Amino acid sequence: MADKPSFYITTPIYYVNAAPHLGTAYCTILCDVMARYKRSVGYDVKFLTGLDEHGEKVQRAAEEHGMTPQEWCDSLAPAFHEIWDTLEISDDDFIRTTEPRQVAAVQHLWERMRDAGYIYKGSYDGWYCVPEETYFTDMQVVKSDEERDSVGQHLCPDCGRPLERVQEESWFFKLSAFQDRLLALYDEHPDFVMPDFRMREVRSFVEGGLRDISVSRTSFDWGIPVPFDERHVTYVWFDALLNYATAVGFGNPDQAEQYARRWPAQFHVVGKDIIRFHCVIWPAMLMAIGEAVPEHVFAHGFLMVRDDESGKNVKMSKSLGNAIAPEDVIDLLGVEGYRYYFMTDCVPGEDGGISYGRMEQVYNADLANSWGNLVSRSLNMSAKYFAGTTPELPEGWERTESPLRSVAEGLVERYCEHMDAMRYTQAKDEVMELVHAANHYIEDAAPWAVAKDPARADELVGIIASLLESIRICAHLLAPFMPETSAEVLRRLSLEDQVETRDLRAACAWGGLVGGAGVTKGDALFPRL
RNA sequence: GCCGGUGUAGCUCAGUUGGUCAGAGCGCACGGUUCAUACCCGUGUUGCCACUGGUUCGAAUCCAGUCACCGGUACCA
């Protein structure tokens, strides 16, 4: 275990009040594919996801339901575990910010921050909407006033009623002190923020100057108490962001070894709406207490609903009635089709235009017609021509020339290069090239004709063997996207012992097929829609 | 307003440092085939490479301007 390099990847912690939706699932699957891929190339992976359970909104929702905040959170958490199980998410840890480990870590952070001198007490000024019981910042108010042409009136952005000016004592984090160090970080690590256009956005934001941020509240109490000022509870940044460090033992002497091994994280995958917290505030917090900053923050785009008629992308929303739920997609494509569609048809980093029409297209073209049918026709022929088994392989068969062998040459290297950079669409294209080549090869080689001529028996062995070998390799490469389908394909080739790969390059070397082994044709992997 | 980006076949997009760069996949049309999930294979798809100027022997590829669209512009997990 310890001899393998560590790879630590995280999703954001999702806000417990909102049920898991297509966007959170998308982000989590992005991470899962990376986690599975990294395991297959030999990393000791830790994949973390979890829930953000503190805050005023949770407290209020709990009261409305006649529960304590903790009871309320406990009642919502199972929905997340369920959907992640359904979607084959292979998380190694699931953190909830109400857990003792998080409370201890956050309080430890406060002490370290205070000792380092980056915390001071000040006053948080803002606007409060009494009927809505919500706070707004100056910026939010000004922006909404500009939008509705009511400048100077200070109306609630949500309900439009007049706001009250409020002042609240608060602890502040000296974010302003980190401008230069953040810019230096961006210079030294241009891929700290990915994709690169997000890096430019972050940089120009920081170049514009930084303000200190309020990190505690006294107006509600559902939060982690500030250890040296019990009237205050921790506000989102210090609580939520720290979860990534907490989960690997930050501030816990009993877990010093794990922390040393796991931190810093390799990847934080986040939505583009929260990059500032991850790319500015979070590294500044870590710098303040002298801890290492994460290697990469990857910002994914939003899923937009694409109108197949007009070609326009529209935001998903309940009011527009165009929202798509994970369950809807599962019903249409199945879990593996779901994962494949979102991972290979949306460019990570950019907004994805999704539609049911497109889902069907991709599923039928790639999964049913190309990949599924290739497996089907190949296994069928092997079983038919070789009495229910793979052909007996002559000594050194893997060294004989074959059109498919040359397509497979270097494939795993090209694939890995793309996967490492989260270019899933391109990694998939590489694999599909072999799938298409194999389908093409069947046409050229016409094994059904060869099979009719006993004198060409050796030729038939070569054809079927290279087909099955190509399928075996594709199954390995598609496994991060569709783990169960790949496992099933390998099982049908009697290669169940290859399912848990720890050395993908070796697994994808030409020649891993076992001859004379049972072949199961089985049902269609992806029935056409 | 300011900063950044994009504009290439019906759709999604590739096109490195300017000279087979006019491409791929999907969709669609037609033809062929049968091992297979009515699949697969082949052929085709009449594109002012947004517009206008400029640099150059030569630009989708460099420069300037115009138009259109998108993202960012601090407390939204």
Side-chain angles (χ1 to χ4, degrees), chain A residues 85-101:
Chain A
D85 278 352
T86 302
L87 291 173
E88 304 175 313
I89 303 304
S90 61
D91 53 306
D92 303 291
D93 194 357
F94 188 100
I95 190 169
R96 299 174 55 183
T97 53
T98 50
E99 291 172 20
R101 58 175 170 168

Side-chain angles (χ1 to χ4, degrees), chain A residues 196-214:
Chain A
D196 55 352
F197 64 94
R198 296 291 175 203
M199 176 78 267
R200 286 196 290 274
E201 276 176 22
V202 169
R203 180 195 299 277
S204 75
F205 169 76
V206 173
E207 282 170 348
L210 297 171
R211 283 207 295 253
D212 294 345
I213 54 170
S214 158

Side-chain angles (χ1 to χ4, degrees), chain A residues 337-353:
Chain A
Y338 180 139
R339 293 171 57 107
Y340 181 85
Y341 171 70
F342 282 100
M343 292 303 105
T344 67
D345 202 50
C346 300
V347 179
E350 289 172 29
D351 286 350

Side-chain angles (χ1 to χ4, degrees), chain A residues 21 25-26 28-29 32 36 81-90 326 330 334-335 338-339 483:
Chain A
H21 53 81
Y26 175 64
T28 307
I29 298 171
D32 186 66
R36 287 177 183 273
H81 283 110
E82 272 169 39
I83 186 87
W84 299 154
D85 278 352
T86 302
L87 291 173
E88 304 175 313
I89 303 304
S90 61
I330 293 172
V335 168
Y338 180 139
R339 293 171 57 107

Side-chain angles (χ1 to χ4, degrees), chain A residues 8 46 48 93 95 101 104-105 108 112 242-260 262-263 291:
Chain A
Y8 180 31
K46 173 157 175 141
L48 173 74
D93 194 357
I95 190 169
R101 58 175 170 168
H108 176 72
R112 295 265 299 267
L242 193 70
N243 90 85
Y244 305 127
T246 302
V248 291
F250 170 76
N252 183 344
D254 297 338
Q255 294 191 42
E257 205 174 317
Q258 184 191 182
Y259 187 73
R262 290 294 191 189
W263 195 257
E291 297 288 341

